[in-house]
Amino acid sequence: MTAIRVLLVDDDPLVRAGLSFMLGGAGDIEIVGEAADGGEVGTLVDRTRPDVVLMDIRMPSVDGLTATESLRTRDDAPQVVVLTTFHADDQVLRALRAGAAGFVLKDTPPAEIVAAVRRVAAGDPVLSPAVTRQLMAHAAGAAGDTRRARARERVTGLNDREREVAVAVGRGLANAEIAAELYMSVATVKTHVSRILAKLGLNNRVQIALLAHDAGLLEKTGSS
């Protein structure tokens, strides 16, 4: 099995050491580099070719948000997981909108951080339904009329089935749960998700969830 290549980005050397120790103990994860600032990320990504970047959101020079936005513009961008001390923070929300695959709290138990890296490397977001709802509630205070109008215009390009899948993703459901609820195969769900991403120009399921919320699609389900 090919090891998951991970780049650690945090300005605190003790945090990096702790992450390196806990992740390095997993047989399927390899720490390929460390950075103390977001400004170092681009060069290190070119050199080490990580699959996943664990990115601190607050750093003194170039912050994790700026570094994430820069990374996600690349065609071969690694997955980004934001490291934070806050559950629902404006910067975390902006990083997710920029294409981060999720976030983990710095005090998350080691086994859960390892599991988060594995999930992201496999193409799954690291946002549980509960955390997704919390972020949606936080986003509600930040989403104004302009954002809603823009989001509604974007989702008009989806057909009815794709819209149903987008709503289910927005509710935090996994592919198997969506398949059971909408009476389709998991493979068909994955196809719909891929088409939604392509049509809307999005990077991952987290962005689908945020857009579905902004467009008001979740309100119609009573799940906002």
Side-chain angles (χ1 to χ4, degrees):
M1 178 183 296
T2 302
I4 302 167
R5 300 170 63 81
V6 176
L7 174 64
L8 304 177
V9 186
D10 196 296
D11 63 323
D12 188 335
L14 292 178
V15 171
R16 295 199 309 272
L19 289 169
S20 181
F21 177 76
M22 74 174 70
L23 293 171
D28 58 340
I29 295 175
E30 176 186 1
I31 306 300
V32 296
E34 297 183 14
D37 188 76
E40 305 170 31
V41 172
T43 299
L44 274 174
V45 166
D46 288 337
R47 185 189 311 159
T48 63
R49 314 304 297 176
D51 302 303
V52 178
V53 177
L54 279 178
M55 182 86 73
D56 185 18
I57 201 72
R58 289 177 173 81
M59 290 177 282
S61 181
V62 177
D63 62 31
L65 172 61
T66 301
T68 298
E69 290 173 336
S70 177
L71 276 185
R72 294 307 303 175
T73 62
R74 297 176 174 223
D75 292 334
D76 57 347
Q79 297 293 338
V80 176
V81 176
V82 171
L83 292 168
T84 181
T85 55
F86 298 94
H87 282 275
D89 174 81
D90 286 336
Q91 286 187 303
V92 173
L93 197 57
R94 286 177 60 194
L96 295 174
R97 292 190 189 282
F103 72 90
V104 293
L105 300 177
K106 290 187 177 182
D107 60 357
T108 297
E112 292 183 23
I113 293 182
V114 171
V117 168
R118 288 172 176 153
R119 285 192 62 183
V120 167
D124 295 324
V126 287
L127 289 177
S128 68
V131 172
T132 299
R133 286 192 294 271
Q134 184 178 21
L135 276 171
M136 295 304 101
H138 185 72
D145 292 340
T146 300
R147 170 167 285 163
R148 171 149 298 194
R150 186 165 57 244
R152 284 180 171 173
E153 182 178 355
R154 292 182 70 185
V155 299
T156 57
L158 302 179
N159 62 38
D160 290 344
R161 205 56 162 160
E162 290 164 348
R163 189 177 295 240
E164 288 178 327
V165 171
V167 169
V169 170
R171 290 167 50 211
L173 300 185
N175 285 341
E177 294 171 318
I178 297 173
E181 185 169 293
L182 299 181
Y183 304 102
M184 60 177 71
S185 69
V186 172
T188 301
V189 173
K190 291 180 179 179
T191 297
H192 282 306
V193 170
S194 295
R195 287 176 179 167
I196 293 167
L197 293 172
K199 283 186 175 183
L200 300 179
L202 302 176
N203 290 303
N204 56 42
R205 297 166 70 96
V206 176
Q207 289 184 320
I208 294 175
L210 291 171
L211 187 64
H213 173 273
D214 287 348
L217 299 183
L218 303 186
E219 295 173 3
K220 300 173 183 178
T221 69
S223 302
S224 61

